[in-house]
Structures are given as structure tokens and as C-alpha cells.
Amino acid sequence: MTILILGLCLFLGMHSLGFLAPAWRGRMVARLGQTGWQGIAGLVGLVGFILIVWGYGLARAEPLYIYSPPIWTRHLSLLIMLPVFPLLLATYLPGRIQAAVVHPMLTAVIIWALAHLTANGNLADLLLFGGFLAWALTDRISLLTRQAPAVQGAPRRKANDLIAIGAGLALYVAFLLWAHKWLFGVSPLGLG
């Protein structure tokens, strides 16, 4: 569990500097340059991500159950997950979805975390999904008092929303049918 916690601290900590320590982050960017800072931040984030994957895998091998959700919550989580991929894509495809949601990626992370907390009840799940939920909610709330950072994406076009929805739903189906099992060893549909 220690490896998972360390990974979460590194990954989410690095992604929290923009709202927890903006002045310090600004000084580091000024000192190292944008490229230098992005290199260091990317490396720390990557190490954190690797530790999260490794630590979560280790923790799943010997799960410590905190609660046992009823079977119907698995179906509910599948429904809750439906907008996640379209929202993620809308982050990089400016259109009406992006304008209405303000920060679609944070919203997608919040929904993703809630869906997984609904269907999973072991300690590793609570740490992983609860950690991402707390981070995304805190970051989203911080946007009430600060400007959202610019996101590099496609040029604004009318078709962007249709692309985000269509490609997002295709990704959702791909994850349901095989990608989630291939990547994480668990089929959300309970297939083989």
C-alpha cells in the first residue's frame, strides 16, 4: 500500500502545484524555463504514475475490503461512466461541451472516480479513486478563484462536439468489451 500512496502523492502532488503553490511553481518555471519545468514535472508525474500502477497491482493481490457494494452498483457504475470519454475528448476539442462544462477533464475524473467508488470497496480502490476524486474536486473548486490554464487542442469547429461524443462513446464501448480487461485485468461486464 505504501507504493500506491507514494505514487498518488507524487502524481497528484505535481498536478496540484498550480492551485496549491502557484507562486512557487511560477518561480520554478522562471528559474528552469517552461521546457525545463515541464521536463521535471513530467518526469515526477511519470514516476508517480508508474508507482500508482505498481502499487495498485500489489494491493489488489491481497485486497483489504472496507465495504462490499451490492451487485447492482456495478450496473450503476457502467451508466455513470457513459459521459467520461466524451468529456475527456471535449477537453481537446473546443465546442459547446467544453464551454458548458468549463473544465471537462476534471469533470470526467470526478465522474470516473465516483463510478469506480460505487462499484469497488477495497482499501486500494478507496485510496486510488478517492485520491483522484479529492484532487479533482479541489482543483475544480479552485477554478472559482483562479483562471483555468489554457489547454492545447484542436481548432474550434462546429463538428468538435460530434467528434467528442462519437469517438468518446466508441472508446467507452471499446473499454467495456475488451480494453479495460486488457489494461487492468478486470472486465466491467464480467466477461471471461
Side-chain angles (χ1 to χ4, degrees):
M1 210 63 69
T2 305
I3 295 170
L4 174 60
I5 293 169
L6 178 60
L8 287 166
C9 289
L10 287 173
F11 186 84
L12 297 177
M14 185 55 66
H15 285 84
S16 300
L17 292 176
F19 64 89
L20 289 180
W24 181 83
R25 184 187 179 282
R27 287 192 305 270
M28 294 306 293
V29 170
R31 184 172 160 202
L32 300 170
Q34 188 67 30
T35 304
W37 169 254
Q38 287 177 336
I40 290 172
L43 182 61
V44 171
L46 178 62
V47 169
F49 181 75
I50 291 168
L51 291 175
I52 288 170
V53 172
W54 182 29
Y56 185 70
L58 291 173
R60 278 184 41 201
E62 296 180 26
L64 174 59
Y65 289 94
I66 306 301
Y67 62 93
S68 182
I71 194 76
W72 61 266
T73 61
R74 292 182 186 166
H75 305 291
L76 177 62
S77 72
L78 294 175
L79 182 62
I80 294 170
M81 282 292 296
L82 195 60
V84 168
F85 290 108
L87 285 169
L88 282 174
L89 294 178
T91 303
Y92 302 101
L93 296 165
R96 289 183 181 179
I97 296 171
Q98 189 184 81
V101 179
V102 179
H103 202 303
M105 183 174 291
L106 288 176
T107 305
V109 171
I110 290 166
I111 294 168
W112 167 82
L114 285 171
H116 283 81
L117 287 170
T118 300
N120 300 291
N122 71 51
L123 182 58
D125 294 321
L126 291 177
L127 290 171
L128 176 65
F129 303 115
F132 271 90
L133 177 61
W135 166 78
L137 285 171
T138 304
D139 196 353
R140 183 63 184 94
I141 290 167
S142 78
L143 291 175
L144 297 173
T145 59
R146 69 182 180 95
Q147 181 69 29
V151 176
Q152 296 280 336
R156 182 173 294 277
R157 295 185 318 183
K158 288 183 180 181
N160 283 352
D161 289 330
L162 291 175
I163 294 168
I165 292 169
L169 292 177
L171 281 169
Y172 174 76
V173 169
F175 263 76
L176 280 181
L177 297 179
W178 66 271
H180 197 280
K181 181 165 177 57
W182 178 67
L183 289 169
F184 308 112
V186 177
S187 170
L189 298 175
L191 303 173

